[in-house]
Amino acid sequence: MGYRLLHWGPIVALSIVSSISTFTILCHVEWWPLQTKGAFVDMFVFLLWNFLTLFNFFRAAFKGPGLVPYGWTPENPDDRKSLQYCTICEGYKVPRSHHCRKCQRCVMKMDHHCPWINNCLGHFNHANFTAFLFFAPCGCIHSLFILIPSLYRAIYRNYYIFYGTGREPIVDLGAISLIGSMLSVGLAFGVVLAVGGLFVVQLRSIIRNETGIETWIKDKAEYRDREEDEQDFVYPYHLGRWNNLRMVLHLKTRPELNGIWWPVRDGCNQFTLTEEQIKQKKEKRGRSVHYEVVRSFSGSLCPITYGLRVCCCPPCMDEQRVRLREREIVLVSRFRKHWLYGDKVHRLKSQSLIGDKGKRERGWFPRKCVRRLGVSHGDMKEYLCYEQSHYMNENSLNDKVHLNEDNSNENSEEEQEQEQDTKVDKKNI
């Protein structure tokens, strides 16, 4: 599991924590030496913040969110129609689970893939991740109360030497220590603002018993076009603030729930959210548009050949780019001014169509490399069949032309050989 730390996210996070801790301890020893009981207690509290921060960081990274078993199928076959099928994991997605493109697995109660722990945030590591978001700003606030007075004493060191009473602590920092302490102050302020803000967001989600993805589904459910006899959507997992907090924030090593089945409020069932998501995806497919690739795209993050506007206005997403070749078909579902997002729809029978078993190829690509097709979603397979037959007819016609050329070449060679034989016979005569 050590590979979890071999990523830019954990390396940057641990570097920030170690930098702030190192220079805080250095300044603490200079400003408030450990000869008094108060200094010892203060240092102990600061080291406790560090321990709790790192403990929950490593627990969140290594414990993991909880993964849906490969090929999972509900015991009741009738429940399959209310669940989504994952073609990559070759099984059904349990309620509240989603497939992570980075981990290549279906994750229980997935919130998002966090680059700082290089893992997904989900059912089993939600409590440790939230504790990490709480203890890190607390430790940085404590650090600021040590670093700022120490830097002040270090900058005005000569003043306290010549005009002080002699009872003030003299903080003597070298050039490297002084610069490092200043940088640590900036890093500590950044952690308090950024990580503290993320903690508030996570705490609000816990109180509502929602993940980031479920909040998005809930918001889209409010403006989705509904049928006349269809009832309004009710979020099924909001059980009250106290019950929602107890479900995530606890002192146990593992949650009581198994991550597959969840308690729901009255009037809802296990598949209320999943059925709403299926309807939203169906509506999304109806709005999707087919495009044909007219210019190849390498999947580069900064395609300079498509112009500066395309490079300077990339989609603000962590989603990947997709490689495209000419004549390929793409089903576009998201639109930006200079970029599009969609799934590749393969032409040949040897390649699977969208929705069949197999790995989906999707991502962002420049708008300039495609042109819109005037083909509806329902007629797309018919169009592909026509394209395939046209492609095969072209190949067969080319094969016939090459065959005729080969036959004509063979006939001309035979005629030349016959002429040479007749010339030799005439000479002999």
Side-chain angles (χ1 to χ4, degrees):
M1 296 295 291
Y3 70 93
R4 289 286 179 194
L5 302 180
L6 301 178
H7 183 262
W8 67 265
I11 292 174
V12 171
L14 294 175
S15 299
I16 292 174
V17 173
S18 61
S19 175
I20 295 174
S21 302
T22 300
F23 289 103
T24 301
I25 294 172
L26 178 63
C27 290
H28 192 289
V29 172
E30 291 282 339
W31 175 56
W32 199 357
L34 301 178
Q35 297 173 357
T36 62
K37 185 182 295 185
F40 181 82
V41 172
D42 188 70
M43 177 66 79
F44 174 78
V45 173
F46 177 73
L47 294 177
L48 182 63
W49 293 128
N50 278 267
F51 171 76
L52 293 174
T53 299
L54 294 175
F55 173 78
N56 287 283
F57 176 84
F58 288 120
R59 288 280 290 177
F62 294 140
K63 183 192 292 186
L67 304 176
V68 180
Y70 276 115
W72 182 86
T73 304
E75 296 180 358
N76 187 0
D78 296 335
D79 295 339
R80 298 179 184 179
K81 62 182 180 181
S82 300
L83 294 172
Q84 301 180 83
Y85 187 83
C86 180
T87 56
I88 298 177
C89 298
E90 297 183 352
Y92 288 90
K93 299 179 183 179
V94 303
R96 309 189 76 177
S97 69
H98 303 276
H99 186 84
C100 177
R101 294 187 301 274
K102 300 288 182 64
C103 299
Q104 290 297 313
R105 289 292 301 271
C106 288
V107 178
M108 296 178 179
K109 193 191 171 186
M110 178 179 174
D111 187 274
H112 68 282
H113 184 92
C114 180
W116 304 111
I117 62 174
N118 193 23
N119 207 338
C120 278
L121 174 61
H123 177 52
F124 289 111
N125 63 352
H126 201 174
N128 291 115
F129 184 78
T130 307
F132 161 71
L133 297 180
F134 173 75
F135 290 123
C138 289
C140 288
I141 292 173
H142 193 168
S143 174
L144 290 172
F145 279 101
I146 298 173
L147 288 171
I148 294 175
S150 300
L151 285 172
Y152 182 84
R153 298 274 183 175
I155 293 172
Y156 293 99
R157 172 177 173 272
N158 292 333
Y159 174 83
Y160 286 105
I161 291 175
F162 292 106
Y163 303 102
T165 61
R167 291 177 297 180
E168 297 91 356
I170 303 301
V171 179
D172 188 9
L173 297 176
I176 297 177
S177 300
L178 185 65
I179 295 173
S181 299
M182 289 181 177
L183 292 175
S184 298
V185 170
L187 292 174
F189 269 116
V191 170
V192 171
L193 295 177
V195 180
L198 187 56
F199 170 73
V200 173
V201 172
Q202 286 296 323
L203 187 62
R204 185 179 60 179
S205 298
I206 293 172
I207 291 174
R208 297 176 178 179
N209 199 7
E210 299 174 2
T211 64
I213 299 175
E214 290 169 351
T215 302
W216 188 34
I217 296 171
K218 181 182 173 182
D219 293 340
K220 290 194 296 182
E222 295 181 358
Y223 59 83
R224 182 176 66 83
D225 295 332
R226 299 183 178 275
E227 300 178 359
E228 295 181 358
D229 57 344
E230 189 177 357
Q231 298 179 353
D232 293 336
F233 174 73
V234 178
Y235 185 71
Y237 302 116
H238 185 55
L239 306 176
R241 294 182 178 181
W242 180 245
N243 291 328
N244 295 340
L245 284 170
R246 290 175 55 192
M247 193 177 296
V248 177
L249 302 180
H250 50 79
L251 299 177
K252 300 178 181 178
T253 56
R254 293 178 70 88
E256 295 180 356
L257 301 175
N258 59 5
I260 297 178
W261 305 114
W262 303 87
V264 296
R265 63 194 301 177
D266 295 336
C268 301
N269 57 58
Q270 290 289 332
F271 312 109
T272 301
L273 183 69
T274 307
E275 291 172 349
E276 173 63 27
Q277 189 179 10
I278 292 173
K279 293 176 183 178
Q280 290 181 8
K281 287 188 175 182
K282 182 179 179 181
E283 184 178 334
K284 180 181 176 181
R285 285 194 297 269
R287 296 194 307 266
S288 301
V289 181
H290 287 92
Y291 283 76
E292 183 179 16
V293 181
V294 296
R295 184 179 172 186
S296 298
F297 174 57
S298 63
S300 173
L301 294 176
C302 185
I304 191 65
T305 56
Y306 285 92
L308 291 176
R309 290 186 178 180
V310 177
C311 294
C312 297
C313 303
C316 298
M317 309 283 181
D318 62 344
E319 294 162 321
Q320 63 183 0
R321 310 293 193 261
V322 61
R323 292 185 179 182
L324 298 176
R325 294 179 297 177
E326 292 185 9
R327 296 192 64 191
E328 287 184 329
I329 305 296
V330 187
L331 181 62
V332 177
S333 56
R334 279 188 269 173
F335 305 84
R336 297 292 183 273
K337 186 176 181 180
H338 301 289
W339 292 81
L340 300 174
Y341 182 89
D343 296 77
K344 290 171 68 172
V345 183
H346 302 292
R347 291 175 176 272
L348 303 179
K349 288 184 178 180
S350 60
Q351 297 170 305
S352 58
L353 296 170
I354 292 296
D356 296 341
K357 250 186 185 180
K359 185 178 180 180
R360 297 173 63 181
E361 296 182 75
R362 56 180 176 174
W364 291 95
F365 55 90
R367 187 186 283 264
K368 291 183 178 180
C369 71
V370 294
R371 68 177 180 88
R372 181 168 177 170
L373 290 175
V375 182
S376 64
H377 183 74
D379 298 335
M380 194 61 208
K381 286 190 177 182
E382 200 172 305
Y383 173 80
L384 291 177
C385 292
Y386 168 76
E387 285 285 310
Q388 182 187 353
S389 62
H390 181 68
Y391 175 77
M392 293 177 65
N393 290 333
E394 285 185 352
N395 287 342
S396 61
L397 182 62
N398 291 332
D399 292 340
K400 289 181 180 179
V401 171
H402 291 307
L403 182 62
N404 292 332
E405 290 178 354
D406 294 339
N407 292 334
S408 61
N409 291 333
E410 290 179 0
N411 293 333
S412 61
E413 289 177 359
E414 290 178 357
E415 290 177 356
Q416 290 177 1
E417 289 179 358
Q418 289 179 0
E419 289 179 359
Q420 290 178 358
D421 292 339
T422 53
K423 288 180 181 179
V424 171
D425 294 338
K426 288 181 180 178
K427 288 181 180 180
N428 292 333
I429 294 173

